[in-house]
Amino acid sequence: YGFGAIAGNYASGMLTDRTSPFVVLIGAYLLLTVSFTALWCLSLVETASHVVLAGLLIAGWGAASWSQTPPQQLRLIAAAPNQAPVVIALNSSAIYAGVGLGSAVGGATIGHGAQATLAAGLSVAILALAYAIITRRSA
């Protein structure tokens, strides 16, 4: 997860500069959705032979999770350039609120097994993807 997070954050900054924040966010949310879907499917198979695949999917999860900040910050600054410090601060607060909420959901679902926890994560990934598409600003 950590290696994926570093790679995702670094790559998304460069990609955001070269493409558009929307493209990078959609890519990140698609990777997150694919990672959670594949992890959920893997959790249905009780075998230790998928450890490497699970590790790669968890790295994809980390990359997707940490690649959202640069494009989202650029979107916020473009939406309110005169209020950039405020929107960036609010974005940071929202990230921490999301970490807290995600921890609460994880805590509530983990007792029901990995499939329930991964399904909750997948649901959030799909909602994030849908929200990014719905809130896209026209050029």
Side-chain angles (χ1 to χ4, degrees), residues 19-120:
T19 62
S20 76
F22 178 75
V23 169
V24 177
L25 279 176
I26 295 304
Y29 292 138
L30 284 172
L31 177 59
L32 191 61
T33 301
V34 167
S35 295
F36 273 125
T37 300
L39 282 166
W40 181 81
C41 290
L42 241 121
S43 75
L44 299 174
V45 180
E46 294 189 25
T47 178
S49 65
H50 299 297
V51 173
V52 173
L53 178 57
L56 291 173
L57 292 169
I58 291 169
W61 169 12
S65 296
W66 285 85
S67 65
Q68 300 166 34
T69 303
Q72 184 60 21
Q73 286 180 342
L74 190 58
R75 281 180 61 172
L76 291 168
I77 291 169
N82 294 332
Q83 300 298 323
V86 173
V87 296
I88 296 303
L90 289 172
N91 185 56
S92 295
S93 296
I95 289 170
Y96 291 117
V99 168
L101 182 60
S103 297
V105 171
T109 59
I110 196 69
H112 301 285
Q115 292 91 3
T117 304
L118 291 165

